[in-house]
Amino acid sequence: MEVFVSRAVRRSRFRKSFAYVAGAALAAPLALTGAAHAATTATASEYTVSALKFTVTAGGRSCTVDADLYRPAGADAAHPVPAVLATNGFGGSKSDGSTDAIGKAFASRGYVGLVYSGLGFGKSGCLITLDDPVIDGRAATGLIDFLAGTRAADDGTKADFVSKDGKGDPRVGMIGGSYGGAIQMATAAVDRRVDALVPLITWNDLSYALDPNNTATSMGVSSDTPGVFKWQWTNGFYLMGEGQTILAPGLDPSRFGNLTCLHFAPRACDTIRLLNSGRYPADRTGAMLDYARSVSPVSYLGNVRAPTLLVQGQTDSLFNLNEATATYRTLKSQGTTTKMIWQSWGHSGGQVPGELDLNEGNLETSYVGQRVLAWFDRYLQHRKNTDTGPEFAYYRDWQSGYGTAAAVPELSQKVYLSGDGKLVDNRSEVTRGSRRYANWLVPTSHSESSLAGIIGLPDPEPYDTHGTYLGWTGAPLASAVDVVGAPRATLKVVSPKTERVQNSGDAADKLVLFAKVYDVAPDGSRTLVNRLVSPVRVPDVTRQFTVQLPGIVHRYRAGHRLEFVIAASDSAYFGNRGIKPVTVVSAPDDTGVLELPVVGGRVN
């Protein structure tokens, strides 16, 4: 656990920054041009706020859930209104600006707001289980019982002012970001009374988010091969969870586990420790992946039937666009009403003027805000004629307004990896040749915005060290090319050293590499699109493999060039065990291919 401890400095400042980005989805604007939002708008003086406690049993422990009830003026048994339930991002609480803002925002618009500190955070008890549906989800059902009027808060308060869809069935929607996004699906999976969901910047599969592998995917973003440990973000989670004693003294005794991990449930703790070890023995790795997935939407989306508006951030190295896309496709395939928006900002920044910011209260003046209000109008207010917007929308930084489509764009253009380092649009133009790189024992590439940058410390621009990566660059574009979606590469590499050890039984002996796409300007300057990278642990270097790159929304302007890079390491991830030279061979009849979801223009 040395890595965790060595990064404990500046914990207080990190806590504030991490809680912000984890819950930032709660602070952004909501808007749909032309949406008919008719909910009552009130001032802050037109609702009351009451602090409540609820005793719940979760994971075999009895603990207290700390909540705030926002009740609009005029809401009573004779004039009931729908409710909005929300909780915090990881490391936060009901009192965070972004979480508290939800209660205020929706109470001022005629909804009952109930916001609470998630299990293991703020002044709520019990251990952190990473939004386990049978623990965190079941705990949330106790609050839904309160909204239904079938149970009282610990002080005897009852809610007889919430609209009902039937006896014991309140009309309730959920909204929240990151950790507060996943809890919505965990709750809806165990409680069919939830009527509408708006998860923002959250995950599909934690085994992918914290240990991503972008090849050999078997379901959504999930892979059968262990991935590449995302130590930077995972250590941040660990510090936030274990720092609770310091950050929130006087905790409920149910918040304490054991000396190995004070505040995490044992299996969550074991998963983090195994990831941090950098070893993936066959007899333990399966259990680690199983647990991470069992507490992830990928495992229980089949039980989610509530209409769901997914909002994901384009600038997000923690939960990228591919996670939301996997959730979207699963929900759509099973008949769950679902739409999706890709906004500008996520855990890695990207906030731009006019985008959703609940702290600013700009629900009516932002695109995402208007879409959220319309979603709740339709499914909580039961205004059946409300336009909830297009199936898919995405923020464009090169043009005002959101782009829209009937579905996430498919891969539509191919370029080929030539032996001379060029990207060409015709296989016949591929030059025969081979090139080689090798990793060092320290990271030699830097891609993602580091936690230093997130908390305001200097963060270097992306770079790759000569000899530790290979790049293929296209010709200057004759006209602008718009890419919307996740590119995909098909590769074959040669690595004799890896071939000798890759079947050792420890996945850590397999080859690790990182794929990414740059935008190269006419002056030669390179921009890594949204600073995103695709970590890969190659299942078998004797076989061809595919790499799913992170989803992007980007315009390559005329005169710019597209560059595809594979690198040996990255500073935010664990890398190869030992030096592993890699050769890439190209020939017209056998070469790598990069496929792109192009919605405008053509790569020439």
Side-chain angles (χ1 to χ4, degrees), residues 248-274:
L251 298 178
D252 185 315
S254 66
R255 287 280 290 277
F256 295 93
N258 55 56
L259 292 179
T260 303
C261 284
L262 280 176
H263 305 299
F264 287 89
R267 292 188 69 191
C269 175
D270 290 345
T271 296
I272 293 173
R273 294 180 68 203
L274 178 61

Side-chain angles (χ1 to χ4, degrees), residues 545-597:
F545 59 96
T546 60
V547 178
Q548 192 74 52
L549 278 79
I552 59 173
V553 177
H554 184 71
R555 167 165 285 186
Y556 288 86
R557 299 185 181 279
H560 287 228
R561 295 176 293 156
L562 186 151
E563 181 184 25
F564 173 68
V565 166
I566 57 173
S569 61
D570 196 272
S571 59
Y573 299 83
F574 279 2
N576 288 291
R577 179 186 294 173
I579 304 297
K580 291 183 171 135
V582 173
T583 300
V584 178
V585 179
S586 297
D589 58 345
D590 184 15
T591 191
V593 180
L594 177 65
E595 298 174 87
L596 300 163

Side-chain angles (χ1 to χ4, degrees), residues 215-288:
T215 189
T217 55
S218 58
M219 181 172 60
V221 292
S222 303
S223 173
D224 293 327
T225 302
V228 186
F229 179 43
K230 191 184 290 187
W231 71 262
Q232 184 170 257
W233 276 113
T234 307
N235 286 351
F237 281 122
Y238 178 86
L239 284 176
M240 289 304 305
E242 291 299 83
Q244 295 296 304
T245 306
I246 298 172
L247 301 172
L251 298 178
D252 185 315
S254 66
R255 287 280 290 277
F256 295 93
N258 55 56
L259 292 179
T260 303
C261 284
L262 280 176
H263 305 299
F264 287 89
R267 292 188 69 191
C269 175
D270 290 345
T271 296
I272 293 173
R273 294 180 68 203
L274 178 61
L275 287 169
N276 194 61
S277 73
R279 299 186 64 85
Y280 299 88
D283 61 341
R284 295 188 62 202
T285 301
M288 178 270 291

Side-chain angles (χ1 to χ4, degrees), residues 63 92 111 200 220 288 303 320 322 332 358 371 405 526 551 579:
C63 55
Y111 293 89
L200 302 102
M288 178 270 291
N303 294 322
N320 63 36
N322 297 7
K332 291 289 287 186
L358 284 180
R371 292 287 302 271
R526 302 160 78 222
I579 304 297

